[in-house]
Amino acid sequence: MTLFSLDESQIFEAIRAITPHRSPDERAPRESSNEDAEVAERFARAAWSGIAEPGDLVAGVVVRALGAGPALMALVERHSRSRVLDSLATAGVDEVKPSVLATALERWMPRLTAGSALSSLRLAARCGARLVVPGDEEWPGSFGDLGEHEPLALWVRGDLNALNRMSHTVSLVGARAATGYGEHVAMELSAGLIDRKMGIVSGAAYGIDGMAHRAALASSGFTAAFLAGGVDRFYPSGHDALLTRITKVGAVISELPCGSPPTKWRFLQRNRLIAAASKATVVVEAGSRSGSLNTAAHASSIGRPVGAVPGPVTSLSSAGCHRLLREYGAECVTNADEVMALFTPVSDNEPRLDTPITQAAAGPASERRQQHRSSDEVRLADALSSRAPRLTADIAKRSGLSISRTSSLLGSLSLAGSVVEGERGWKKIEP
Amino acid sequence: MTLFSLDESQIFEAIRAITPHRSPDERAPRESSNEDAEVAERFARAAWSGIAEPGDLVAGVVVRALGAGPALMALVERHSRSRVLDSLATAGVDEVKPSVLATALERWMPRLTAGSALSSLRLAARCGARLVVPGDEEWPGSFGDLGEHEPLALWVRGDLNALNRMSHTVSLVGARAATGYGEHVAMELSAGLIDRKMGIVSGAAYGIDGMAHRAALASSGFTAAFLAGGVDRFYPSGHDALLTRITKVGAVISELPCGSPPTKWRFLQRNRLIAAASKATVVVEAGSRSGSLNTAAHASSIGRPVGAVPGPVTSLSSAGCHRLLREYGAECVTNADEVMALFTPVSDNEPRLDTPITQAAAGPASERRQQHRSSDEVRLADALSSRAPRLTADIAKRSGLSISRTSSLLGSLSLAGSVVEGERGWKKIEP
């Protein structure tokens, strides 16, 4: 195996250092050509994660069609555009236009340098990051929903099992410039979801993200952070301690190799991972141009439920949430139970506005008895006094019910102990 | 014309006093048998409005089928159930079940007293209320949407033309126990809608209703209040001065004759009038069992748009609004423009969550330029510095774009004045 004229053993060593360990003899000397092939594929994935920007559709297609190793070799050996097209056609892929491929090759070549791939591997080894690629048992199945936008590889610091726990997480995101209200709600939702055995995914930004992570940690829950740059240097730096704590119980994850700085583009693409990782995305507080709306958009585009927490209409910091409710069909969520309901099937017998209107104002179950009285009972109660006894005829007239209906209702209500008849007529008994 | 053995001239006089005046000779002596018939019909409507409780479906069917006068005569003359069924059949109505009609006759009879009809007419005359019945030019056409739940008559204090202005109103309703936040929003919405040439309909209750009326008056706008009892005695009494002011520029309206006390049932039925009168109903602030949810339910059941104003999820006073958003498909509204949009057709090219995700975070039009940059431009901007000049190859590598694409973008951006090339490379120009 020779790549970039690098010493084979250097590559082997670097890859071994960042590969999830599965067997007791994990540090045994290499043995099989099988392992050689695996190392080559892992190295190629690692290299590709630095060559193609996150979300590079053409890279996704080429790597998937040819395999990361052969695709990388095609770059290293400077295969012509038509040769690559031939390889793709052999693999059954013919949707890549020649001009698109040419542009892609042009943008990949400037980044094809031997040193950067190896140095990012070494940075990863130094900070304890490991590389997870599709096919690894840790690879989150939920990322399959990203299709050709699925990341080529993930760099993980912390608990590798965190990736398998993504199927029981909710993404809580929101504005950096959060208000006290927003942070309070982020904390309540995060703690409430942890209580309900869910984990919290977020982006480690100041404001809502940070509060969501912190509340999860404070509740001894699971939390994971997706970064827009390499996991070797935490961003924002003010959250260095927080992110370090997250690596102890959860994971800090990026699709970019170590040494990569975060950029605006990478933040937008990082948001798709936050959206795809979890069962649902909830925007806790967001101005009308907050990046968390982008996360919500990603979630929606792959069919994940999106919740938005309302706030005062007088607060600009809730304007983005209200936009989500108004324009994007996000669900209004006000507590952890409602967040759980985003992805938990509900029964069909919810009250609707077109159900009988006297029931529409019904409150909590304990108080519904009062509300679920028939309309005749409501009228009868209106016509009764708890102080002045009234005769049946009078009650009938006041209530607009017939005398016989009035008698029969009074009878059943007196059995229930709600009314009592004395010498001068019927009185209501206040509960 | 003889009803209840009342003196004909008493009835004539009482009805004349509460009938909208249309001609200069409005006080002229009676002339035609035509007018006799009209007086009889008006009197019968007035009587029916006291005999049947609001929303009495059977009364609606019978009065509509036979006419208010003949229907009243049938009661006065104690027609048998089968005779009334025959009359209904002759009028083409056969959907009333005999047992239902029997019950209805039994509940109407206790209220059929000569004195009460006439005394409510006299109370009306004393307070300046007038009677409007279907067919009058003042009758609000929008009430037709109530079908058989259309009121039998309306009692109006104030400007009769108010009824014709209902087609340009919005109903603002909400909790009596409003917070400062709720009252502030009610005031803003009410004033904002008045600015947009709309009138405000509400229920004159303490809290949100009162604030909605007051803000409309303060903006010299039109407002109308629907009461659950007779318009001769304003309820709540603490809003006596407010309701009196409303009669000066708008109207105070009830379907119940003067002298009728408000009851729980009548409040619920009154809410259907608030919902039907206007173009849309907006719940400004409401606890989870607020009566205003009932108004929203009525609006929804006759196809009127329902808006709900969100608030802090920590405020119980907004819980009802959030329920409307969550469970009843109400629209989230945060300002007067959004209320207008409830009933104003909008174009289809609104952004949706499934539009390209880089656009989803777009803000006000003035700031969209930044957001609508192509993804390549975003990447290029990420790779440029405003301080350190960079060479094209370096920029290509940092951005992950091809060198030729980088050059071409730099060229067009330099024409636009966003970048500048010096001896040591390209720099970004901060706006």
Side-chain angles (χ1 to χ4, degrees):
Chain A
M1 183 179 69
T2 315
L3 282 171
F4 310 140
S5 348
L6 284 176
D7 184 300
E8 189 175 347
S9 66
Q10 282 183 302
I11 292 178
F12 190 86
E13 186 192 339
I15 289 293
R16 282 284 291 265
I18 58 161
T19 298
H21 310 131
R22 296 199 185 82
S23 58
D25 58 339
E26 60 197 26
R27 292 284 174 197
R30 53 193 278 225
E31 279 172 8
S32 63
S33 66
N34 227 9
E35 191 176 356
D36 269 10
E38 198 197 316
V39 166
E41 179 72 12
R42 299 191 92 78
F43 180 80
R45 286 267 171 186
W48 267 111
S49 76
I51 290 168
E53 275 293 310
D56 183 326
L57 188 60
V58 188
V61 171
V62 170
V63 167
R64 186 176 305 204
L66 308 184
L72 185 62
M73 289 306 288
L75 292 197
V76 171
E77 294 170 2
R78 299 193 170 267
H79 290 184
S80 68
R81 179 178 69 177
S82 53
R83 185 162 165 200
V84 176
L85 282 173
D86 285 347
S87 309
L88 287 174
T90 307
V93 172
D94 55 6
E95 80 256 24
V96 181
K97 283 190 198 156
S99 61
V100 168
L101 182 64
T103 313
L105 290 170
E106 280 184 53
R107 78 176 167 248
W108 297 333
M109 295 313 285
R111 290 189 170 180
L112 187 69
T113 55
S116 65
L118 202 56
S119 88
S120 71
L121 289 178
R122 285 176 178 152
L123 284 172
R126 201 171 304 151
C127 72
R130 272 159 301 169
L131 177 73
V132 178
V133 300
D136 287 348
E137 62 190 40
E138 293 87 359
W139 190 257
S142 60
F143 279 180
D145 293 341
L146 289 168
E148 279 151 351
H149 296 284
E150 190 172 14
L152 297 169
L154 293 175
W155 304 82
V156 183
R157 274 177 77 178
D159 180 9
L160 275 188
N161 291 320
L163 295 175
N164 287 331
R165 296 174 69 176
M166 292 297 172
S167 53
H168 288 87
T169 60
V170 170
S171 297
L172 292 182
V173 297
R176 285 187 295 273
T179 66
Y181 165 71
E183 295 200 337
H184 170 79
V185 176
M187 190 188 65
E188 290 284 330
L189 290 184
S190 181
L193 289 166
I194 296 290
D195 283 349
R196 287 160 183 77
K197 315 289 178 215
M198 301 299 291
I200 302 298
V201 166
S202 194
Y206 293 127
I208 299 298
D209 288 20
M211 187 54 82
H213 289 302
R214 272 199 192 90
L217 293 172
S219 302
S220 307
F222 167 73
T223 188
F226 283 90
L227 301 188
V231 293
D232 56 320
R233 193 191 287 177
F234 288 149
Y235 183 93
S237 57
H239 275 175
D240 196 76
L242 172 63
L243 283 158
T244 302
R245 284 176 64 207
I246 292 174
T247 63
K248 309 294 183 206
V249 297
V252 177
I253 308 163
S254 175
E255 64 182 312
L256 285 143
C258 291
S260 310
T263 63
K264 190 163 196 168
W265 174 261
R266 290 169 183 172
F267 279 111
L268 294 174
Q269 291 299 318
R270 181 276 309 262
N271 291 343
R272 88 189 192 289
L273 303 187
I274 293 177
S278 63
K279 286 187 106 66
T281 293
V282 173
V283 181
V284 178
E285 190 176 49
S288 63
R289 295 188 304 127
S290 166
S292 49
L293 303 192
N294 171 262
T295 310
H298 279 296
S300 178
S301 71
I302 58 168
R304 295 275 195 284
V306 174
V309 176
V313 301
T314 47
S315 164
L316 290 179
S317 303
S318 286
C321 291
H322 297 150
R323 276 192 75 199
L324 287 173
L325 293 175
R326 283 182 54 72
E327 299 173 21
Y328 300 109
E331 193 77 15
C332 172
V333 291
T334 69
N335 57 41
D337 281 330
E338 291 173 2
V339 172
M340 296 297 288
L342 286 174
F343 47 86
T344 313
V346 289
S347 66
D348 269 346
N349 48 16
E350 296 270 311
R352 307 299 309 176
L353 266 192
D354 47 9
T355 50
I357 44 190
T358 50
Q359 294 178 22
S366 62
E367 300 177 273
R368 277 193 192 153
R369 165 81 194 107
Q370 167 88 357
Q371 299 287 339
H372 279 184
R373 294 185 305 181
S374 71
S375 54
D376 284 358
E377 284 177 82
V378 174
R379 291 198 200 177
L380 193 78
D382 285 338
L384 284 164
S385 161
S386 54
R387 282 158 300 149
R390 285 173 185 160
L391 297 173
T392 305
D394 181 32
I395 297 165
K397 188 179 164 192
R398 285 172 185 266
S399 64
L401 298 171
S402 69
I403 289 175
S404 63
R405 176 75 177 137
T406 303
S407 296
S408 112
L409 274 177
L410 286 169
S412 61
L413 289 175
S414 82
L415 287 176
S418 321
V419 299
V420 64
E421 189 174 25
E423 269 181 41
R424 288 157 51 235
W426 294 88
K427 284 200 301 187
K428 175 155 62 172
I429 296 172
E430 295 292 351
Chain B
M1 184 179 70
T2 314
L3 281 171
F4 312 139
S5 349
L6 285 177
D7 183 300
E8 188 173 348
S9 66
Q10 281 183 304
I11 293 178
F12 192 86
E13 188 192 336
I15 289 292
R16 282 285 290 265
I18 58 161
T19 298
H21 310 132
R22 297 202 184 79
S23 58
D25 59 339
E26 59 196 27
R27 293 285 171 196
R30 53 194 275 225
E31 277 171 9
S32 62
S33 66
N34 228 8
E35 193 177 355
D36 269 8
E38 198 196 316
V39 166
E41 179 72 12
R42 299 189 92 77
F43 180 79
R45 285 266 172 188
W48 267 110
S49 76
I51 291 168
E53 275 296 309
D56 184 327
L57 188 60
V58 187
V61 170
V62 170
V63 166
R64 186 176 304 202
L66 310 183
L72 185 62
M73 288 307 286
L75 293 197
V76 171
E77 295 171 0
R78 300 192 169 267
H79 289 185
S80 68
R81 179 180 69 177
S82 54
R83 185 164 166 199
V84 176
L85 282 173
D86 284 349
S87 309
L88 287 173
T90 307
V93 172
D94 55 7
E95 79 256 26
V96 181
K97 284 190 198 155
S99 62
V100 169
L101 182 63
T103 312
L105 290 170
E106 280 184 53
R107 80 175 164 247
W108 296 333
M109 294 313 286
R111 289 188 171 179
L112 188 69
T113 55
S116 66
L118 202 56
S119 88
S120 72
L121 289 178
R122 284 176 177 151
L123 284 171
R126 202 172 302 151
C127 72
R130 272 160 302 170
L131 177 73
V132 177
V133 299
D136 286 349
E137 62 188 39
E138 292 87 358
W139 189 257
S142 60
F143 279 179
D145 293 340
L146 288 168
E148 278 151 353
H149 297 284
E150 190 172 15
L152 297 168
L154 293 174
W155 303 82
V156 184
R157 276 177 76 177
D159 180 8
L160 275 187
N161 290 320
L163 294 174
N164 287 338
R165 296 174 70 176
M166 291 297 171
S167 53
H168 287 87
T169 60
V170 170
S171 297
L172 293 182
V173 297
R176 284 187 295 273
T179 67
Y181 165 70
E183 295 199 338
H184 170 79
V185 176
M187 189 188 67
E188 289 284 328
L189 290 183
S190 180
L193 289 166
I194 296 291
D195 283 349
R196 287 160 183 79
K197 315 289 178 215
M198 301 300 290
I200 302 298
V201 165
S202 195
Y206 293 127
I208 299 299
D209 288 21
M211 187 55 79
H213 288 302
R214 274 199 190 89
L217 292 172
S219 301
S220 307
F222 166 74
T223 188
F226 283 90
L227 301 190
V231 293
D232 57 319
R233 192 193 284 179
F234 288 151
Y235 183 94
S237 58
H239 275 176
D240 196 77
L242 172 62
L243 283 157
T244 303
R245 285 177 64 206
I246 292 175
T247 63
K248 308 294 183 206
V249 297
V252 177
I253 308 164
S254 175
E255 63 182 312
L256 285 143
C258 291
S260 310
T263 64
K264 190 162 195 168
W265 173 260
R266 289 168 184 172
F267 278 111
L268 294 173
Q269 292 298 317
R270 180 277 310 263
N271 290 343
R272 86 189 194 289
L273 303 187
I274 292 177
S278 63
K279 288 186 106 65
T281 292
V282 174
V283 181
V284 178
E285 191 175 48
S288 64
R289 295 188 303 129
S290 166
S292 50
L293 303 191
N294 170 261
T295 311
H298 279 296
S300 178
S301 70
I302 57 169
R304 296 276 194 283
V306 174
V309 176
V313 300
T314 46
S315 165
L316 290 178
S317 304
S318 285
C321 291
H322 297 151
R323 276 191 74 199
L324 287 173
L325 293 174
R326 282 182 54 73
E327 300 173 19
Y328 300 107
E331 192 78 14
C332 172
V333 293
T334 69
N335 57 40
D337 281 331
E338 291 173 1
V339 173
M340 296 298 287
L342 286 175
F343 47 85
T344 314
V346 290
S347 67
D348 270 344
N349 49 16
E350 297 268 311
R352 306 301 310 178
L353 266 192
D354 47 9
T355 51
I357 44 187
T358 49
Q359 294 179 21
S366 62
E367 300 178 271
R368 280 197 191 151
R369 165 81 193 109
Q370 168 88 356
Q371 299 287 339
H372 279 183
R373 295 183 307 180
S374 71
S375 55
D376 284 359
E377 283 177 83
V378 174
R379 291 198 201 178
L380 193 79
D382 284 338
L384 284 164
S385 161
S386 55
R387 283 158 299 147
R390 288 174 183 160
L391 298 172
T392 305
D394 182 31
I395 297 166
K397 188 179 161 190
R398 286 172 184 267
S399 64
L401 299 170
S402 69
I403 290 176
S404 63
R405 176 74 179 139
T406 304
S407 295
S408 111
L409 275 176
L410 286 169
S412 61
L413 288 175
S414 82
L415 287 175
S418 323
V419 298
V420 64
E421 188 175 25
E423 271 182 39
R424 289 159 47 234
W426 293 89
K427 285 200 299 186
K428 176 155 63 173
I429 296 172
E430 295 292 350

